[in-house]
Amino acid sequence: MDTDLSSQDRKDLDKFIKFFALKTVQVIVQARLGEKICTRSSSSPTGSDWFNLAIKDIPEVTHEAKKALAGQLPAVGRSMCVEISLKTSEGDSMELEIWCLEMNEKCDKEIKVSYTVYNRLSLLLKSLLAITRVTPAYRLSRKQGHEYVILYRIYFGEVQLSGLGEGFQTVRVGTVGTPVGTITLSCAYRINLAFMSTRQFERTPPIMGIIIDHFVDRPYPSSSPMHPCNYRTTAEDNAAVYPSVEDSQEVCTTSFSTSPPSQLSSSRLSYQPAALGVGSADMGYPVVFAGGLNAAHPHQLIVPGKEGGVPLVPSQPPHAAQADQERMAMCTPLDGAHYSAATPSSSEDTETVSNSSEAKSGSPHDILETIFVRKVGAFVNKPINQVTMANLDIPFAMFSPKNIELEDNDPMVNPPDSPETESPLLGSLHSEGSSGNSTGNTHDDFVMVDFKPAFSKDDILPMDLGTFYREFQNPPQLSSLSIDIGAQSMAEDLDSLPEKLAVHEKNVKEFDAFVETLQ
Amino acid sequence: MNCRSEVLEVSVEGRQIEEAMLAVLHTILLHRSTGKFHYKKEGTYSIGTVGTQDVDCDFIDFTYVRVSSEELDRALRKAVGEFKDALRNSGGDGMGQISLEFYQKKKSRWPFSDECIPWEVWTVRVNVVSLANEQERQICREKVGEKLCEKVINIVEVMNRHEYLPKMPTQSEVDNVFDTGLKDVQPYLYKISYQITDSLGTSVTTTMRRLIKDTLAL
């Protein structure tokens, strides 16, 4: 049977099939890790990327695959299978998919090994990349976390599809004919997620950053243990436990020819530490000010806290620098990503009020700082009786109608030498001036002072600029817009309609003439 | 040699057009791109490495794999963007199709320009639907996601029939088969064109926009 195949070709073919099997396992397991995979293209061949595809090798997975193969290759009756299953936190498990790499007897003697077979295997791997994102288990695996995890198991031998339940579907990824048989790659996947609906898993998004690193020993007939599709990202651990893929015996084809085959260049397969990052790179945004009136505490400045409205100490996350801490569910910063380092001297900056404990801790890495974004003026410190509007987005929101009645209490920065200011102002100068004292800000209040615009004089105009401004900011409502009058006039309009129509009909000729002038 | 033609049909909502088209086109081009060729002496060549990356869709419950090449992605996004704009501007009941054609160039003697001989054409027919409320949109997200899964399986099935592919070219011929203008990957020469039809099915604007990626354009 092998007389048609040269020994070199035979050796090459065996090597291709072996590495194809290993790469197939890598693609499948990586697709079920729950993260997006990204590898870079490289225009110059490194000699270490089998099938000209950048597929990283996770050492643990390669180790498992080699263990399962035990030096054999897929052949007739001996298939390599990767089983993907789901295990809940309660311990229930369910097989989701079985990926099979099989070989049948149909040979293609004419095909060129070093060229056509290699390229077709490369194409098949690309198809596998596409198909692994398309089966139902992919979406489940992207949502794995604390409720359930995805496990994989590699075995060699007979395909066992019984665990997939009734009515499972099969998708064929592709086939490649070789002189020794036809390689077929397919996937059988479960449809009937009976005792667990997919919705159950989509309910709660998993907490990012939790790495489940447990190994489960299952009493399977072929006694190969299940492995989680998550793994510790530290490369040191992996390198220590498993031998790297580097193997001086293995080379991958890097050279092709358009003319009769020439010498293959040899190179070492090198292992690149998998750098699968955990989660996204979002920084934990600071908990923000939930603007609005705090009617319960009219004298308090609304200091942001986790519950909003009550000055609180947000708990410091143990690893504040880690990007994947639990997301703060509060609203987004009003002015964008607006946070400052928790340095004690921030009280000089009147725009931010940092929480007392954070000021004390002074950790430069503290991201989850509470921020208050509002310029209230440098010297406001007087308690007031009136509820203040704390809507930060509207400039001069302080001057909205509610506060108009208390002309004496207009919240505007007064020039320091105004006779109407009282000692609290000086007092506030005091507290603001002291650096490092942000504790006093927990009861920041507004002082209402008279609106005294610069350069305006009382005696020239009967009203000053301030009064003018206030009055014209609140014009009286249009009569047509007020509800009572509107309702009445509507009724009147309807009644007068017939009369108006009669009048218009009389003037029809005038209208017609007008229309003609327009044309 | 006949040109192979494949047709795929999708029904999407307006804001899903771009992502659905990109998913299909990128999946096709993933299979029709290789690493960069580096020719050496004696007619041998080596091939660069193709990286891949997952792309999540925002408006569809779907993830697709594309080649890691920003240039290629940009080119596709540009074409799809134009197609989407044309569809949107054509009127409410938008129907159109976008074609991805792989071709080979055949040099002709001067003064005739080079011939472009297609060997594979993929046509995606798009039907744009409008939805009334958020619930329908949510259902549409999932449905279109499932449909795209089917399309990917269809594409993979065609690719793995291993039908005609241009012969690997010599160094002098490589530009007649591959687009060598990208710096990190090398797709087969391709062009994208689209057509918009109105609700009556007639071709109101036959906007043939050729995006020619080859280096020579006589």
Side-chain angles (χ1 to χ4, degrees):
Chain A
M1 185 164 89
D2 292 341
T3 48
D4 294 341
L5 203 58
S6 74
S7 66
Q8 178 63 37
D9 273 351
R10 183 65 211 240
K11 263 188 356 190
D12 287 343
L13 187 59
D14 286 346
K15 210 165 28 169
F16 294 169
I17 294 176
K18 173 184 167 187
F19 279 95
F20 180 74
L22 295 177
K23 287 293 180 181
T24 296
V25 175
Q26 289 287 348
V27 169
I28 294 168
V29 173
Q30 287 176 25
R32 299 288 175 262
L33 284 173
E35 293 149 8
K36 292 205 295 191
I37 305 295
C38 179
T39 56
R40 297 183 63 175
S41 302
S42 161
S43 69
S44 37
T46 56
S48 60
D49 292 317
W50 275 94
F51 308 105
N52 307 117
L53 283 173
I55 298 172
K56 293 200 171 100
D57 285 318
I58 303 175
E60 169 199 304
V61 174
T62 306
H63 178 79
E64 288 300 318
K66 281 186 172 169
K67 213 166 70 172
L69 285 172
Q72 297 173 77
L73 288 177
V76 179
R78 290 200 317 258
S79 311
M80 190 189 72
C81 300
V82 181
E83 178 189 291
I84 301 289
S85 58
L86 179 151
K87 184 171 176 191
T88 63
S89 46
E90 283 109 40
D92 297 318
S93 78
M94 181 169 68
E95 277 176 37
L96 296 177
E97 301 173 319
I98 312 267
W99 297 83
C100 308
L101 179 60
E102 298 167 297
M103 182 79 103
N104 70 27
E105 287 161 345
K106 189 172 159 197
C107 303
D108 184 348
K109 301 277 185 202
E110 308 298 322
I111 204 167
K112 271 201 255 177
V113 169
S114 66
Y115 165 70
T116 312
V117 171
Y118 190 83
N119 285 338
R120 287 187 181 179
L121 288 174
S122 175
L123 194 71
L124 188 52
L125 270 179
K126 289 174 184 169
S127 298
L128 182 65
L129 280 164
I131 296 284
T132 43
R133 274 65 174 170
V134 145
T135 52
Y138 180 71
R139 298 220 75 83
L140 280 176
S141 69
R142 287 292 296 268
K143 296 181 168 88
Q144 66 181 299
H146 61 286
E147 277 197 16
Y148 64 91
V149 287
I150 303 291
L151 308 176
Y152 74 93
R153 181 171 77 93
I154 309 172
Y155 62 90
F156 193 72
E158 294 256 342
V159 183
Q160 296 154 19
L161 296 177
S162 51
L164 291 176
E166 284 184 14
F168 62 85
Q169 291 212 346
T170 315
V171 61
R172 194 163 79 162
V173 183
T175 61
V176 173
T178 76
V180 299
T182 301
I183 297 170
T184 309
L185 187 52
S186 60
C187 172
Y189 57 94
R190 171 186 281 271
I191 303 285
N192 180 17
L193 295 163
F195 75 98
M196 301 170 182
S197 68
T198 46
R199 304 239 176 243
Q200 188 178 339
F201 300 113
E202 289 167 17
R203 235 184 335 162
T204 334
I207 294 178
M208 312 271 277
I210 292 182
I211 298 178
I212 298 162
D213 192 38
H214 61 272
F215 288 86
V216 178
D217 279 333
R218 310 271 305 181
Y220 276 100
S222 54
S223 69
S224 68
M226 304 289 293
H227 298 277
C229 286
N230 285 331
Y231 74 109
R232 230 177 255 291
T233 56
T234 52
E236 309 90 58
D237 282 1
N238 286 331
V241 176
Y242 300 109
S244 74
V245 181
E246 233 177 85
D247 186 349
S248 56
Q249 307 272 329
E250 318 290 0
V251 303
C252 77
T253 310
T254 55
S255 184
F256 297 85
S257 87
T258 51
S259 51
S262 57
Q263 196 91 40
L264 293 176
S265 61
S266 70
S267 56
R268 294 168 70 82
L269 258 184
S270 63
Y271 155 61
Q272 290 160 342
L276 293 171
V278 183
S280 68
D282 281 335
M283 297 292 278
Y285 269 102
V287 173
V288 224
F289 181 80
L293 287 161
N294 190 349
H297 302 276
H299 303 289
Q300 269 185 357
L301 186 68
I302 300 173
V303 175
K306 277 194 191 176
E307 273 76 48
V310 178
L312 272 187
V313 178
S315 59
Q316 310 256 347
H319 307 284
Q322 212 175 56
D324 307 302
Q325 286 305 316
E326 47 183 272
R327 304 261 163 86
M328 292 304 193
M330 297 290 283
C331 47
T332 52
L334 289 164
D335 288 333
H338 188 102
Y339 58 90
S340 57
T343 53
S345 57
S346 58
S347 62
E348 281 296 317
D349 180 5
T350 55
E351 291 196 355
T352 64
V353 173
S354 55
N355 203 287
S356 54
S357 68
E358 291 184 37
K360 283 174 191 160
S361 71
S363 153
H365 298 295
D366 191 8
I367 301 168
L368 293 173
E369 208 178 291
T370 56
I371 298 289
F372 167 50
V373 182
R374 168 72 173 120
K375 196 181 182 83
V376 295
F379 309 110
V380 291
N381 199 21
K382 187 182 174 180
I384 49 151
N385 299 324
Q386 175 70 14
V387 232
T388 64
M389 171 66 76
N391 187 334
L392 308 183
D393 283 335
I394 304 173
F396 301 110
M398 296 296 203
F399 308 112
S400 58
K402 289 181 205 164
N403 298 339
I404 273 310
E405 309 143 37
L406 298 167
E407 287 195 358
D408 293 337
N409 293 336
D410 282 340
M412 182 66 186
V413 175
N414 216 37
D417 54 1
S418 162
E420 285 180 337
T421 58
E422 297 177 57
S423 52
L425 194 58
L426 298 169
S428 73
L429 268 171
H430 236 328
S431 63
E432 282 297 328
S434 65
S435 63
N437 179 22
S438 39
T439 50
N441 289 341
T442 49
H443 292 286
D444 270 347
D445 303 313
F446 294 105
V447 58
M448 300 286 227
V449 295
D450 217 8
F451 182 73
K452 287 254 183 222
F455 307 116
S456 79
K457 290 185 191 173
D458 285 342
D459 46 355
I460 292 183
L461 288 171
M463 69 166 109
D464 67 3
L465 182 61
T467 324
F468 173 85
Y469 189 86
R470 279 199 303 279
E471 280 194 16
F472 284 90
Q473 228 189 0
N474 303 289
Q477 223 178 21
L478 292 176
S479 59
S480 58
L481 290 181
S482 71
I483 298 172
D484 300 335
I485 301 172
Q488 281 173 13
S489 62
M490 176 83 140
E492 283 167 10
D493 282 343
L494 284 174
D495 289 339
S496 65
L497 215 49
E499 294 163 14
K500 287 187 187 164
L501 278 175
V503 167
H504 292 323
E505 273 182 21
K506 268 201 278 178
N507 298 333
V508 151
K509 285 188 187 148
E510 282 183 34
F511 287 126
D512 285 342
F514 172 68
V515 166
E516 271 176 35
T517 61
L518 291 175
Q519 284 169 359
Chain B
M1 173 252 320
N2 286 325
C3 173
R4 198 163 53 237
S5 175
E6 305 291 336
V7 178
L8 305 164
E9 291 193 34
V10 286
S11 285
V12 293
E13 203 201 353
R15 60 186 187 164
Q16 295 171 324
I17 298 172
E18 278 193 85
E19 288 182 332
M21 294 302 102
L22 283 171
V24 169
L25 295 178
H26 268 303
T27 303
I28 297 170
L29 275 165
L30 169 69
H31 291 82
R32 293 285 180 250
S33 300
T34 73
K36 297 280 290 176
F37 281 15
H38 296 273
Y39 284 93
K40 300 183 277 206
K41 55 187 194 297
E42 295 163 8
T44 63
Y45 61 96
S46 56
I47 307 182
T49 302
V50 171
T52 56
Q53 59 188 78
D54 291 333
V55 182
D56 287 336
C57 295
D58 293 324
F59 301 111
I60 314 173
D61 286 344
F62 188 68
T63 302
Y64 61 92
V65 181
R66 70 166 173 92
V67 164
S68 288
S69 166
E70 293 309 316
E71 287 174 274
L72 188 63
D73 189 38
R74 267 200 302 271
L76 286 189
R77 278 180 190 274
K78 186 163 174 251
V80 166
E82 287 170 10
F83 174 63
K84 182 198 85 171
D85 290 338
L87 257 184
R88 286 288 183 92
N89 295 337
S90 72
D93 189 14
M95 274 181 61
Q97 61 184 46
I98 190 165
S99 294
L100 172 60
E101 178 190 299
F102 292 102
Y103 65 96
Q104 270 180 272
K105 267 203 294 200
K106 189 170 153 195
K107 297 260 188 227
S108 303
R109 266 180 266 159
W110 185 90
F112 303 106
S113 57
D114 295 339
E115 259 185 278
C116 294
I117 307 170
W119 51 271
E120 189 176 72
V121 179
W122 294 83
T123 305
V124 188
R125 293 212 182 112
V126 180
N127 178 31
V128 183
V129 298
S130 11
L131 299 173
N133 58 43
E134 204 50 45
Q135 195 188 4
E136 283 185 30
R137 283 203 186 93
Q138 185 57 35
I139 297 173
C140 189
R141 272 184 78 102
E142 294 166 10
K143 280 223 160 108
V144 172
E146 287 166 22
K147 266 285 170 208
L148 286 177
C149 290
E150 285 174 32
K151 300 305 155 197
V152 167
I153 295 175
N154 291 348
I155 293 169
V156 162
E157 194 201 352
V158 170
M159 295 294 179
N160 273 275
R161 286 186 208 148
H162 301 303
E163 290 168 342
Y164 172 80
L165 277 181
K167 219 169 50 157
M168 284 301 151
T170 57
Q171 188 166 13
S172 53
E173 298 277 306
V174 70
D175 287 316
N176 294 341
V177 175
F178 287 101
D179 175 0
T180 52
L182 302 171
K183 68 175 198 291
D184 41 15
V185 294
Q186 192 173 287
Y188 282 100
L189 280 173
Y190 71 93
K191 47 175 100 128
I192 300 178
S193 56
Y194 60 84
Q195 255 180 308
I196 309 293
T197 51
D198 70 353
S199 51
L200 297 173
T202 56
S203 191
V204 172
T205 29
T206 314
T207 316
M208 295 298 290
R209 174 125 170 83
R210 307 180 80 101
L211 255 174
I212 296 177
K213 303 298 289 179
D214 36 75
T215 47
L216 291 174
L218 229 181

Short mmCIF file of all heavy atoms in Angstrom, two decimals, chain A residues 1-2 4-6 9-10 13 17 103-114 117 176-182:
data_model
loop_
_atom_site.label_atom_id
_atom_site.label_comp_id
_atom_site.label_asym_id
_atom_site.label_seq_id
_atom_site.Cartn_x
_atom_site.Cartn_y
_atom_site.Cartn_z
N MET A 1 0.83 -1.20 0.00
CA MET A 1 0.00 0.00 0.00
C MET A 1 0.86 1.25 0.00
O MET A 1 0.48 2.27 -0.52
CB MET A 1 -0.89 -0.04 1.27
CG MET A 1 -1.88 1.11 1.29
SD MET A 1 -3.21 0.87 2.46
CE MET A 1 -2.56 1.55 3.94
N ASP A 2 2.02 1.11 0.59
CA ASP A 2 2.85 2.30 0.68
C ASP A 2 3.86 2.39 -0.46
O ASP A 2 4.73 3.24 -0.43
CB ASP A 2 3.60 2.30 2.02
CG ASP A 2 2.65 2.50 3.19
OD1 ASP A 2 1.54 2.98 2.93
OD2 ASP A 2 3.01 2.14 4.31
N ASP A 4 3.49 3.35 -3.38
CA ASP A 4 3.38 4.58 -4.16
C ASP A 4 3.91 5.78 -3.41
O ASP A 4 4.20 6.81 -4.02
CB ASP A 4 1.90 4.83 -4.51
CG ASP A 4 1.38 3.77 -5.43
OD1 ASP A 4 2.20 3.09 -6.07
OD2 ASP A 4 0.15 3.63 -5.50
N LEU A 5 4.01 5.66 -2.14
CA LEU A 5 4.41 6.80 -1.33
C LEU A 5 5.87 6.64 -0.93
O LEU A 5 6.26 5.64 -0.36
CB LEU A 5 3.53 6.81 -0.08
CG LEU A 5 3.34 8.13 0.64
CD1 LEU A 5 2.75 9.17 -0.28
CD2 LEU A 5 2.43 7.92 1.84
N SER A 6 6.65 7.65 -1.23
CA SER A 6 8.06 7.55 -0.84
C SER A 6 8.18 7.63 0.67
O SER A 6 7.28 8.14 1.36
CB SER A 6 8.85 8.69 -1.49
OG SER A 6 8.55 9.89 -0.84
N ASP A 9 7.93 11.09 1.92
CA ASP A 9 6.54 11.57 1.91
C ASP A 9 5.76 10.96 3.06
O ASP A 9 4.94 11.61 3.70
CB ASP A 9 5.86 11.21 0.58
CG ASP A 9 6.11 12.28 -0.48
OD1 ASP A 9 6.65 13.34 -0.12
OD2 ASP A 9 5.76 12.06 -1.66
N ARG A 10 6.01 9.71 3.29
CA ARG A 10 5.28 9.02 4.37
C ARG A 10 5.60 9.66 5.72
O ARG A 10 4.74 9.89 6.55
CB ARG A 10 5.66 7.53 4.37
CG ARG A 10 4.91 6.70 5.39
CD ARG A 10 3.45 6.67 5.06
NE ARG A 10 2.63 6.55 6.25
CZ ARG A 10 1.80 5.56 6.48
NH1 ARG A 10 1.69 4.57 5.62
NH2 ARG A 10 1.05 5.56 7.57
N LEU A 13 3.95 12.97 5.89
CA LEU A 13 2.50 12.85 6.09
C LEU A 13 2.17 12.53 7.53
O LEU A 13 1.26 13.11 8.13
CB LEU A 13 1.95 11.76 5.15
CG LEU A 13 0.43 11.63 5.11
CD1 LEU A 13 -0.20 12.93 4.66
CD2 LEU A 13 0.04 10.49 4.16
N ILE A 17 -0.03 14.87 9.99
CA ILE A 17 -1.26 14.41 10.66
C ILE A 17 -1.12 14.58 12.17
O ILE A 17 -2.05 15.01 12.86
CB ILE A 17 -1.56 12.94 10.29
CG1 ILE A 17 -1.89 12.86 8.80
CG2 ILE A 17 -2.72 12.40 11.12
CD1 ILE A 17 -2.10 11.45 8.30
N MET A 103 -10.22 8.99 10.43
CA MET A 103 -9.54 8.61 9.19
C MET A 103 -10.33 7.47 8.57
O MET A 103 -10.68 6.52 9.26
CB MET A 103 -8.11 8.15 9.53
CG MET A 103 -7.29 7.79 8.35
SD MET A 103 -6.63 9.24 7.53
CE MET A 103 -4.95 9.19 8.11
N ASN A 104 -10.60 7.58 7.29
CA ASN A 104 -11.24 6.43 6.66
C ASN A 104 -10.34 5.88 5.57
O ASN A 104 -9.24 6.39 5.32
CB ASN A 104 -12.64 6.80 6.14
CG ASN A 104 -12.58 7.74 4.94
OD1 ASN A 104 -11.61 7.75 4.19
ND2 ASN A 104 -13.62 8.52 4.76
N GLU A 105 -10.82 4.84 4.91
CA GLU A 105 -9.94 4.10 4.01
C GLU A 105 -9.81 4.70 2.64
O GLU A 105 -9.00 4.25 1.84
CB GLU A 105 -10.45 2.66 3.88
CG GLU A 105 -10.19 1.86 5.14
CD GLU A 105 -11.09 0.64 5.18
OE1 GLU A 105 -12.07 0.60 4.40
OE2 GLU A 105 -10.83 -0.26 6.00
N LYS A 106 -10.60 5.67 2.34
CA LYS A 106 -10.60 6.21 0.97
C LYS A 106 -9.32 6.99 0.73
O LYS A 106 -9.11 8.06 1.30
CB LYS A 106 -11.83 7.11 0.81
CG LYS A 106 -12.09 7.56 -0.59
CD LYS A 106 -13.44 8.29 -0.64
CE LYS A 106 -13.45 9.17 -1.88
NZ LYS A 106 -14.48 10.19 -1.83
N CYS A 107 -8.47 6.45 -0.13
CA CYS A 107 -7.17 7.07 -0.34
C CYS A 107 -7.16 7.89 -1.63
O CYS A 107 -7.87 7.59 -2.57
CB CYS A 107 -6.08 6.00 -0.45
SG CYS A 107 -6.01 4.96 0.99
N ASP A 108 -6.32 8.88 -1.62
CA ASP A 108 -6.11 9.67 -2.82
C ASP A 108 -4.62 9.56 -3.15
O ASP A 108 -3.79 10.27 -2.58
CB ASP A 108 -6.52 11.12 -2.54
CG ASP A 108 -6.41 11.99 -3.79
OD1 ASP A 108 -5.82 11.55 -4.79
OD2 ASP A 108 -6.92 13.12 -3.75
N LYS A 109 -4.31 8.65 -4.05
CA LYS A 109 -2.90 8.36 -4.29
C LYS A 109 -2.21 9.48 -5.05
O LYS A 109 -1.00 9.61 -5.00
CB LYS A 109 -2.77 7.06 -5.09
CG LYS A 109 -3.36 5.86 -4.42
CD LYS A 109 -2.40 5.27 -3.44
CE LYS A 109 -2.96 4.00 -2.85
NZ LYS A 109 -2.36 3.69 -1.58
N GLU A 110 -2.98 10.24 -5.79
CA GLU A 110 -2.35 11.20 -6.70
C GLU A 110 -1.93 12.47 -6.01
O GLU A 110 -1.20 13.28 -6.56
CB GLU A 110 -3.35 11.57 -7.82
CG GLU A 110 -3.95 10.39 -8.54
CD GLU A 110 -2.88 9.59 -9.22
OE1 GLU A 110 -1.93 10.21 -9.76
OE2 GLU A 110 -2.96 8.35 -9.23
N ILE A 111 -2.40 12.64 -4.84
CA ILE A 111 -2.24 13.96 -4.23
C ILE A 111 -0.81 14.16 -3.75
O ILE A 111 -0.13 13.22 -3.33
CB ILE A 111 -3.25 14.12 -3.06
CG1 ILE A 111 -3.53 15.60 -2.81
CG2 ILE A 111 -2.79 13.42 -1.82
CD1 ILE A 111 -4.72 15.81 -1.92
N LYS A 112 -0.35 15.36 -3.83
CA LYS A 112 1.02 15.68 -3.40
C LYS A 112 1.02 15.98 -1.91
O LYS A 112 0.30 16.86 -1.43
CB LYS A 112 1.52 16.91 -4.16
CG LYS A 112 2.20 16.59 -5.48
CD LYS A 112 3.09 17.73 -5.91
CE LYS A 112 2.44 18.50 -7.04
NZ LYS A 112 3.18 19.66 -7.49
N VAL A 113 1.86 15.29 -1.20
CA VAL A 113 1.83 15.40 0.25
C VAL A 113 2.35 16.74 0.74
O VAL A 113 1.69 17.47 1.48
CB VAL A 113 2.66 14.25 0.89
CG1 VAL A 113 2.85 14.50 2.36
CG2 VAL A 113 1.97 12.93 0.66
N SER A 114 3.54 17.07 0.30
CA SER A 114 4.20 18.21 0.93
C SER A 114 3.55 19.52 0.53
O SER A 114 3.85 20.55 1.10
CB SER A 114 5.67 18.26 0.52
OG SER A 114 5.75 18.52 -0.86
N VAL A 117 -1.58 18.46 0.36
CA VAL A 117 -2.15 18.00 1.63
C VAL A 117 -1.91 19.04 2.71
O VAL A 117 -2.80 19.36 3.50
CB VAL A 117 -1.53 16.64 2.04
CG1 VAL A 117 -1.95 16.27 3.44
CG2 VAL A 117 -1.94 15.55 1.06
N VAL A 176 -9.89 15.98 4.11
CA VAL A 176 -8.68 16.12 3.29
C VAL A 176 -8.27 14.72 2.89
O VAL A 176 -8.05 13.86 3.75
CB VAL A 176 -7.54 16.80 4.09
CG1 VAL A 176 -6.25 16.77 3.29
CG2 VAL A 176 -7.92 18.23 4.43
N GLY A 177 -8.18 14.51 1.61
CA GLY A 177 -7.74 13.20 1.13
C GLY A 177 -6.22 13.10 1.17
O GLY A 177 -5.52 14.07 0.87
N THR A 178 -5.74 11.97 1.60
CA THR A 178 -4.30 11.75 1.59
C THR A 178 -4.04 10.38 0.97
O THR A 178 -4.97 9.58 0.83
CB THR A 178 -3.72 11.76 3.02
OG1 THR A 178 -4.04 10.53 3.67
CG2 THR A 178 -4.25 12.92 3.83
N PRO A 179 -2.80 10.09 0.66
CA PRO A 179 -2.50 8.77 0.09
C PRO A 179 -2.78 7.61 1.03
O PRO A 179 -2.88 6.47 0.59
CB PRO A 179 -1.00 8.86 -0.23
CG PRO A 179 -0.74 10.31 -0.39
CD PRO A 179 -1.65 11.00 0.54
N VAL A 180 -2.91 7.88 2.33
CA VAL A 180 -3.16 6.76 3.25
C VAL A 180 -4.60 6.74 3.76
O VAL A 180 -4.98 5.87 4.53
CB VAL A 180 -2.19 6.79 4.44
CG1 VAL A 180 -0.76 6.67 3.94
CG2 VAL A 180 -2.39 8.00 5.30
N GLY A 181 -5.38 7.67 3.36
CA GLY A 181 -6.76 7.69 3.83
C GLY A 181 -7.30 9.11 3.80
O GLY A 181 -6.57 10.06 3.51
N THR A 182 -8.56 9.23 4.11
CA THR A 182 -9.16 10.57 4.11
C THR A 182 -9.39 11.02 5.54
O THR A 182 -10.03 10.31 6.33
CB THR A 182 -10.50 10.55 3.35
OG1 THR A 182 -10.26 10.11 2.03
CG2 THR A 182 -11.14 11.93 3.32
#
